[in-house]
Amino acid sequence: SLIIVLVVFYDVLGLFKSSCPNPSEFARCNWPDRFGHEDIVQEQALDISAGNSLWVNVQSETSKKAMQEAKQAIQKLAGKPRNRISKEFCMFLESYLPKIGFNGIRDLTDEVKQSGDDVSSKLFGNSLKGFDEKGDWKHFIGAYVISRVEPTQSTAASLDQDSAFLTNVHDAVEIAGSLKLGGAPLHAVIWTALLSVARHYPEMSGAGFWQLAKRFCHVFEQDRPGLFVHCLHGVGHGSLAVGGFKTMTELQRREYEEASMCEKIDKGTTGSHPSAAALKASLELCRAGPSLQLQYICAGGVFMEFWKTAEADAHEGLGDLHQTCHETILAAPCFRFEPDFFTEEFTDLLKDSDGQSMYEPCTQSAWSWGLKPRSHQLRGCILGRSFKLYQHYDAWRFQRNR
């Protein structure tokens, strides 16, 4: 059971023997290496090759001035309504990409993310929290950079000759190859590149999809395993985008292709809610991966994107979606990224239990009925929900054992 797994896991590590001043910081106190991301960012960032077309020296006087102008421009975007933010952010990127480069835009948006409301108020004159909520700008910048250069060759076999497209992807991956913004620009660079190829080569097989994915991600494989996983996570997002494109009707595909570049980025290929057919097609792409490990990483990207759109709907509008993880062979990432309200009852009990005994979230939850004992899906639930619940469970154990 999940509870037993967590108890054994924590007892073996001896985490109950130390104390922390704040129960919510218990995991952070006992697992400092897990949360010390600052060094990882420096160690894993890729070196930028000479001649990278998307890089600008932001230390030059001209670029410093442009960075200040960009800060003022992005401040104005914070007050815009949601239906205008993507179009105007697209115009912002079009204007400032030549001036401060992909690296400058990445660093600027990372500064916004890291600063928090108080600091951003001092930097920009007002809080940019509204801008963060209105648009998925961390991913948008990566998708925009790739969407500027479309493949031009007519067959998959001739992709090697498409130097402009491949060079743009290479340059974008180099700059996005860091953990700034949580790897979001890298995710979007990869999924947009894969979708661009699939749109031009709809006959691309699962094997061809993975050949392309490994081509885009190979730069991280040997020395940067963390970024390699981030890159493959982007492949998962890409597989859902490609699955959505492949399952469009002829009319939907025509309307999608007629949309502007910024509209394509903003709306994606799956609309407000991915269809069952799109999900099935995307998981088939993941399962074409060369190893089970890579298939699971890919599926993590699929289900993160899938559940992100579903979570925006009301509980009543989910229909049979709560059965999604019960039916997939790649169950662990499905449970890992499921909406929080599937487990919020359990987390609320952990917070209020005062050390009392707990029910089992993978066998006794309203969202888990129907999982069969010793099934692959039950093991997936234990693994996936352990990841979601460990911080809440950690604080509960701390309260119970102090």
Side-chain angles (χ1 to χ4, degrees):
S1 71
L2 176 56
I3 295 295
I4 294 174
V5 167
L6 286 170
V7 169
V8 172
F9 176 62
Y10 279 71
D11 281 335
V12 168
L13 291 180
L15 295 184
F16 302 136
K17 297 178 181 178
S18 59
S19 61
C20 291
N22 186 335
S24 66
E25 295 293 314
F26 189 50
R28 191 179 294 269
C29 174
N30 285 285
W31 297 355
D33 294 339
R34 181 182 176 89
F35 294 92
H37 294 310
E38 292 78 5
D39 293 338
I40 296 175
V41 173
Q42 296 301 319
E43 291 173 3
Q44 292 194 334
L46 285 173
D47 295 329
I48 307 301
S49 58
N52 186 307
S53 61
L54 297 172
W55 186 86
V56 170
N57 178 13
V58 294
Q59 297 304 315
S60 70
E61 290 304 317
T62 301
S63 295
K64 286 181 180 179
K65 181 179 178 181
M67 285 286 281
Q68 291 301 318
E69 293 174 353
K71 288 182 180 181
Q72 295 173 6
I74 207 171
Q75 175 185 336
K76 294 178 182 179
L77 287 174
K80 301 290 183 180
R82 176 66 182 89
N83 61 355
R84 291 182 57 190
I85 197 77
S86 60
K87 181 178 180 181
E88 298 207 16
F89 190 44
C90 215
M91 294 170 61
F92 166 84
L93 293 174
E94 183 179 357
S95 175
Y96 284 99
L97 185 63
K99 299 176 183 179
I100 61 178
F102 185 19
N103 56 305
I105 291 171
R106 177 204 62 191
D107 293 346
L108 176 62
T109 48
D110 186 62
E111 182 180 345
V112 173
K113 177 178 181 292
Q114 296 294 335
S115 62
D117 287 351
D118 293 339
V119 180
S120 67
S121 178
K122 296 175 184 177
L123 285 173
F124 302 103
N126 71 328
S127 169
L128 295 183
K129 182 179 180 182
F131 179 54
D132 190 7
E133 293 172 344
K134 291 173 186 173
D136 191 9
W137 47 268
K138 293 175 288 186
H139 289 117
F140 200 106
I141 60 176
Y144 174 86
V145 165
I146 296 300
S147 298
R148 293 164 57 252
V149 183
E150 292 278 2
T152 58
Q153 301 300 314
S154 58
T155 65
S158 59
L159 183 62
D160 285 337
Q161 302 170 26
D162 205 338
S163 59
F165 173 73
L166 292 176
T167 298
N168 188 54
V169 174
H170 170 272
D171 292 350
V173 168
E174 274 194 345
I175 294 173
S178 79
L179 291 179
K180 288 187 175 182
L181 295 171
L186 178 60
H187 303 162
V189 162
I190 299 302
W191 90 52
T192 308
L194 290 168
L195 176 59
S196 295
V197 175
R199 285 172 49 217
H200 288 76
Y201 315 135
E203 74 281 2
M204 182 171 60
S205 65
F209 177 86
W210 274 96
Q211 184 178 13
L212 196 61
K214 294 188 72 176
R215 178 175 191 161
F216 293 157
C217 295
H218 82 279
V219 66
F220 307 111
E221 189 168 3
Q222 296 301 319
D223 302 322
R224 295 171 174 85
L227 280 170
F228 184 56
V229 170
H230 269 280
C231 194
L232 292 172
H233 181 78
V235 170
H237 283 273
S239 67
L240 187 59
V242 172
F245 183 77
K246 284 180 174 290
T247 54
M248 283 180 177
T249 64
E250 184 177 342
L251 175 62
Q252 289 172 329
R253 189 171 296 188
R254 184 168 64 249
E255 290 176 345
Y256 175 79
E257 293 296 355
E258 289 174 352
S260 69
M261 180 182 77
C262 293
E263 288 174 327
K264 287 187 181 76
I265 296 172
D266 191 36
K267 295 180 180 178
T269 61
T270 59
S272 61
H273 193 77
S275 66
L279 179 61
K280 179 181 178 181
S282 66
L283 291 176
E284 286 175 353
L285 288 173
C286 284
R287 296 201 67 194
S291 72
L292 190 59
Q293 183 180 30
L294 298 189
Q295 292 173 28
Y296 267 88
I297 297 171
C298 175
V302 169
F303 283 113
M304 182 179 188
E305 189 70 23
F306 177 83
W307 285 123
K308 183 172 66 175
T309 57
E311 193 166 13
D313 296 336
H315 293 206
E316 294 78 9
L318 285 173
D320 294 330
L321 282 179
H322 67 278
Q323 291 290 332
T324 300
C325 301
H326 298 214
E327 298 167 356
T328 179
I329 193 65
L330 297 169
C334 184
F335 282 107
R336 158 67 181 91
F337 289 105
E338 67 183 350
D340 288 339
F341 57 74
F342 282 14
T343 53
E344 65 185 7
E345 179 185 1
F346 186 75
T347 56
D348 288 344
L349 283 172
L350 283 173
K351 293 175 184 177
D352 301 332
S353 66
D354 195 27
Q356 298 175 16
S357 60
M358 290 287 100
Y359 72 83
E360 296 290 340
C362 283
T363 57
Q364 297 171 315
S365 164
W367 298 106
S368 301
W369 293 340
L371 285 176
K372 298 178 181 179
R374 299 184 179 87
S375 68
H376 173 88
Q377 286 75 16
L378 179 56
R379 293 194 297 272
C381 180
I382 293 170
L383 290 170
R385 287 189 172 170
S386 291
F387 196 98
K388 286 180 67 70
L389 296 172
Y390 81 90
Q391 290 181 327
H392 303 290
Y393 182 83
D394 198 19
W396 173 71
R397 290 291 300 187
F398 172 78
Q399 293 280 19
R400 191 176 184 182
N401 290 276
R402 64 179 178 173

